[in-house]
Amino acid sequence: MPRAGLGPASVTRAGAVLADETGLDHLSMGLLAERLGVRTPSLYKHVDNIADLTHRIGVLAMVELAEATGDAIQGRAGSDALVAAAQAIRRFVHEHPGRYAAGNAARCTGPGDPLVPAARRVVDSLSAALRGYGLDPAEQVHALRMLRSLVHGFASLEERLGLVLEETSTDESFHWMIALVDEGLRAGGRIDGPREQSRGTT
């Protein structure tokens, strides 16, 4: 029986749930229509096509990831905020792999794209988690990129491959990694970048 009351938001959220269940690569308009109990052409009243649906799911993912990270660090500072933020991202990847993949694949489509403020909220949440380290503003962007890259890489590999090595738990490895990041940030993040070797020297 067709479901009444569908709109762009409800179709997007249903698509996000389905993407989490099946994987983003397997999401299709036909499969979503079947889930919603409507004919496939009916979905085109609410989203343009599968690319539009995927983009909308990506925006939703960024909004939810920012909220999850912001909620996790509420009232925390320093290493406590860092650990909470990292764990929130890791948890989101595991609980919502399809929509997280959509968020990473999403690209700005032009002025007014809601992806821009949504992605900015993620950056703002991570910036808040790092605020307690008192980093020099020039180092802040490097710290943000490092943290996002490390947690993304670890959680994504863990989700897809399991990171099964001997008897060591991935939880231990994750905590070890974040503790190492914490030590580096406490040192002030003062790392000299690679310098071009002078020509003619050995």
Side-chain angles (χ1 to χ4, degrees), residues 120-193:
R120 172 54 57 184
R121 288 181 62 187
V122 175
V123 173
D124 289 344
S125 293
L126 291 178
S127 295
L130 296 173
R131 192 170 297 138
Y133 289 96
L135 294 173
D136 186 283
E139 305 289 347
Q140 180 83 357
V141 65
H142 304 315
L144 284 168
R145 288 171 176 169
M146 174 193 66
L147 179 59
R148 182 73 189 276
S149 298
L150 285 174
V151 178
H152 164 76
F154 188 101
S156 296
L157 287 172
E158 186 180 26
E159 171 64 27
R160 295 181 182 181
L161 305 177
L163 292 180
V164 179
L165 289 174
E166 301 178 354
E167 300 296 327
T168 305
S169 76
T170 53
D171 285 341
E172 290 181 23
S173 296
F174 188 80
H175 286 298
W176 184 92
M177 179 181 73
I178 300 304
L180 191 63
V181 171
D182 176 58
E183 289 187 19
L185 293 174
R186 287 180 181 278
R190 298 182 180 87
I191 306 297
D192 289 334

Side-chain angles (χ1 to χ4, degrees), residues 76-99:
R76 301 175 185 270
S79 59
D80 287 343
L82 176 70
V83 171
Q87 287 284 30
I89 297 172
R90 182 188 181 204
R91 188 179 309 112
F92 190 88
V93 174
H94 293 326
E95 294 178 353
H96 305 293
R99 70 187 74 184

Side-chain angles (χ1 to χ4, degrees), residues 69-78 80-81 84 128:
T69 307
D71 289 346
I73 66 174
Q74 189 69 34
R76 301 175 185 270
D80 287 343

